[in-house]
Amino acid sequence: MKDMTETKIPRAINWNRLDDEKDLEVWNRLTVNFWLPEKVPLSNDIPSWATLTDHEKQLTIRVFTGLTLLDTIQNAVGAPSLMPDAITPHEEAVLTNIAFMEAVHARSYSSIFSTLCSTKEIDEAFRWSEENPHLQAKAKAILDTYAPGNDPLKRKIASVFLESFLFYSGFYLPMYWSSRAKLTNTADLIRLIIRDEAVHGYYIGYKFQRGYEKLSEAEQQEMKDYAFGLMFELYGIENQYTEELYDELGLTEDVKVFLHYNANKALQNLGFEALFPPEVSEVNPAILAALSPDSENHDFFSGSGSSYVIGKAVATEDEDWDF
Amino acid sequence: MSASIPALVYFSSKSGNTHRFIQRLGLPALRLSAEMDQLPFPQSPYVLICPTYADGEGRGAVPKQVIRFLNDPERREGILGVIGAGNRNFGATYGLAGRIIAQKCNVPLLYTFELAGTDTDIARVRAGLEKLGRHPCSTAA
Ligand SMILES: Cc1cc2nc3c(=O)[nH]c(=O)nc-3n(C[C@H](O)[C@H](O)[C@H](O)COP(=O)(O)O)c2cc1C
Ligand SMILES: [Fe+2]
Ligand SMILES: [Fe+2]
């Protein structure tokens, strides 16, 4: 019998031998995406911040403390909890990158605060986040799934829902301000976070799919039921959180549509079909435009949009093209 | 009617979003993947559906295998138009592969959708392809 506590030495990671090409593809994208909040001139938003009402300011700070909590969870617990389940050493390396970027995200909200708000306002908002029942409920639902000993695939489901769904009740607000030409530098920073979360949700969802395809049909059904069940639970909490935050500005219905749209995308990252029908998932075009500026949506088929105007000539000169 | 619908060629990686879109569309389509050595040869004019894999600056947006496919003049000749795919959360490079291919091949960018598409996307693309089959010339803007 071997000693149970024998030290397990990992094998040195060789990036020239890949078990899964996606690991390198995603590693490359994450590393070129690397950024720090200092890169964004947040102080240019000071005049714009001054035009917000006291209530709008308070709402904005609260929303950002809620986002800070999710990033903190993903940094300290979420991404590290996925590491023991990694199938390849490269997957572990990607997860350490994800974990670190979550710390950058959490840190950047504090940069926004110190640029725009008073210490008193900041302290009030953090106190609010600790006491808000809906925020605490979603944190708890996710953390319960992350707990040691839990099913690795269920952990990935919860992680994708955090990355691709739970953030969006919060991300809505800076996109809304940006669509009204307010806090546009803050929106630039939030877009960097959104881009990172897109890669995180994609990658964890991809790894989920690799595990899911190995399950028996019965196990797949159980796993899928679990995913939709957790989505319903989180959606219920998000609805209440949204009402509490956005009722006063009259934005609740608009935010809920955004929740449906993102819930569908989170499920697609797991390889599942959408849950909410198109009628309740068509997001306000101003919000869509704020998410992806300069990438005007083309619908040549239905004749909307002038013609096939090609956007700004971006990076068409990839060396692999022969023509 | 489906006889007049143009053929489809699409790329999809192992995450399979574009593949799931094609399955729901329910039309015959040739798949390009990173793993294949032998590229398919479309027998009739086709619409290309392509997801985006850019770096932060937009480089590398079009998957290498799609570039290899289009680099062959005989395969390229049949392209009628392109449909881009991606994820809006990538910001300014959303669906960039579609825009680049349209520009490179001088064909219309017909449509752009996210991930595996919504039911609305499926309906619009199917209707658009049928229309394209009936009036192939009207796309030559
Ligand atoms: C490394 C990486 C980079 C990506 N870059 C972009 C991008 O610049 N723009 C975009 O719209 N989508 C981007 N995406 C999203 C993919 O285009 C999207 O998930 C697509 O549905 C993938 O299709 P597939 O699963 O059929 O391969 C990227 C995904 C990955 C993994
Ligand atoms: Fe994050
Ligand atoms: Fe993340």
Side-chain angles (χ1 to χ4, degrees):
Chain A
M1 273 302 247
K2 285 210 173 149
D3 180 0
M4 294 290 285
T5 59
E6 194 182 343
T7 308
K8 189 166 172 284
I9 300 173
R11 285 169 58 199
I13 185 166
N14 179 358
W15 280 96
N16 295 311
R17 284 220 173 271
L18 293 168
D19 306 304
D20 186 345
E21 299 283 336
K22 277 284 170 209
D23 293 336
L24 180 60
E25 183 178 272
V26 168
W27 170 272
N28 286 341
R29 173 79 205 209
L30 289 173
T31 50
V32 294
N33 272 8
F34 178 77
W35 58 278
L36 289 170
E38 290 73 19
K39 168 176 160 178
V40 182
L42 291 169
S43 59
N44 291 347
D45 280 347
I46 294 172
S48 173
W49 179 254
T51 69
L52 301 186
T53 66
D54 285 345
H55 171 257
E56 289 167 344
K57 286 180 185 162
Q58 185 192 55
L59 172 66
T60 306
I61 309 174
R62 286 183 174 180
V63 158
F64 286 169
T65 56
L67 292 168
T68 306
L69 176 63
L70 295 180
D71 274 310
T72 308
I73 290 175
Q74 204 61 350
N75 162 246
V77 188
S81 84
L82 298 174
M83 289 177 57
D85 309 328
I87 307 164
T88 66
H90 313 93
E91 180 179 343
E92 272 188 274
V94 171
L95 290 168
T96 56
N97 179 304
I98 291 179
F100 177 68
M101 280 319 286
E102 305 301 8
V104 173
H105 299 167
R107 199 262 166 272
S108 57
Y109 292 110
S110 288
S111 299
I112 298 175
F113 294 150
S114 59
T115 309
L116 301 177
C117 327
S118 70
T119 312
K120 191 164 148 278
E121 289 167 322
I122 303 169
D123 290 343
E124 185 279 330
F126 274 97
R127 210 172 316 115
W128 172 87
S129 75
E130 282 159 31
E131 287 162 9
N132 183 273
H134 313 305
L135 191 53
Q136 294 297 315
K138 62 175 151 172
K140 186 173 181 319
I142 294 292
L143 286 166
D144 284 347
T145 322
Y146 286 165
N150 252 339
D151 186 299
L153 290 182
K154 291 182 181 167
R155 261 206 282 273
K156 291 190 178 64
I157 292 172
S159 225
V160 170
F161 288 170
L162 187 152
E163 301 276 6
S164 305
F165 173 60
L166 291 181
F167 278 119
Y168 287 85
S169 51
F171 287 154
Y172 177 89
L173 191 62
M175 293 301 108
Y176 171 79
W177 290 138
S178 151
S179 76
R180 316 198 127 208
K182 297 200 172 196
L183 304 185
T184 53
N185 296 281
T186 301
D188 283 341
L189 184 147
I190 300 296
R191 269 189 288 269
L192 293 173
I193 299 181
I194 291 177
R195 190 178 72 177
D196 291 342
E197 307 305 5
V199 183
H200 300 171
Y202 171 95
Y203 182 72
I204 300 166
Y206 166 76
K207 290 290 177 181
F208 170 83
Q209 290 181 51
R210 296 288 73 79
Y212 182 81
E213 66 192 3
K214 296 200 183 75
L215 300 181
S216 71
E217 222 171 287
E219 288 167 330
Q220 287 190 346
Q221 192 55 52
E222 196 262 335
M223 194 57 73
K224 193 169 172 181
D225 290 346
Y226 177 83
F228 280 81
L230 181 60
M231 176 53 86
F232 273 118
E233 181 189 344
L234 294 172
Y235 173 67
I237 299 169
E238 282 299 83
N239 259 331
Q240 290 176 294
Y241 185 65
T242 298
E243 285 163 15
E244 183 176 321
L245 287 172
Y246 292 101
D247 269 359
E248 199 167 323
L249 281 184
L251 292 173
T252 299
E253 289 318 306
D254 217 34
V255 180
K256 284 186 179 173
V257 171
F258 195 53
L259 296 185
H260 301 155
Y261 159 81
N262 286 294
N264 286 345
K265 288 174 73 179
L267 288 164
Q268 290 198 341
N269 273 335
L270 294 170
F272 296 140
E273 65 278 5
L275 175 64
F276 296 98
E279 312 85 82
V280 295
S281 317
E282 303 270 358
V283 176
N284 179 345
I287 299 296
L288 293 181
L291 277 173
S292 57
D294 315 320
S295 79
E296 176 198 340
N297 204 15
H298 298 266
D299 188 355
F300 182 83
F301 278 159
S302 71
S304 75
S306 45
S307 67
Y308 61 101
V309 193
I310 289 143
K312 266 189 264 170
V314 248
T316 45
E317 292 318 314
D318 212 305
E319 61 199 21
D320 297 301
W321 293 102
D322 286 348
F323 63 100
Chain B
M1 280 301 284
S2 77
S4 63
I5 290 181
L8 296 175
V9 176
Y10 72 104
F11 176 88
S12 187
S13 80
K14 284 197 286 172
S15 43
N17 283 321
T18 318
H19 180 67
R20 284 188 286 275
F21 178 86
I22 294 286
Q23 280 179 318
R24 277 160 58 229
L25 196 60
L27 298 171
L30 295 173
R31 181 174 183 167
L32 304 174
S33 68
E35 295 77 25
M36 57 178 40
D37 301 323
Q38 190 65 42
L39 293 172
F41 195 98
Q43 298 301 319
S44 56
Y46 63 91
V47 167
L48 179 62
I49 304 183
C50 186
T52 306
Y53 280 94
D55 70 8
E57 314 298 326
R59 287 178 299 253
V62 182
K64 298 265 175 278
Q65 198 69 299
V66 175
I67 296 183
R68 222 184 114 208
F69 178 87
L70 291 172
N71 275 345
D72 172 14
E74 285 178 27
R75 287 186 167 84
R76 183 164 78 238
E77 203 180 63
I79 187 170
L80 296 170
V82 60
I83 295 175
N87 181 347
R88 196 177 279 283
N89 295 346
F90 283 87
T93 66
Y94 169 50
L96 182 60
R99 285 184 271 157
I100 290 177
I101 293 169
Q103 192 174 37
K104 273 279 174 191
C105 299
N106 198 24
V107 291
L109 173 61
L110 299 167
Y111 198 76
T112 306
F113 64 88
E114 293 190 86
L115 304 181
T118 64
D119 290 346
T120 311
D121 294 326
I122 299 277
R124 287 198 186 139
V125 167
R126 196 179 288 132
L129 289 171
E130 280 166 10
K131 202 163 92 189
L132 195 62
R134 284 195 301 273
H135 314 283
C137 301
S138 64
T139 61

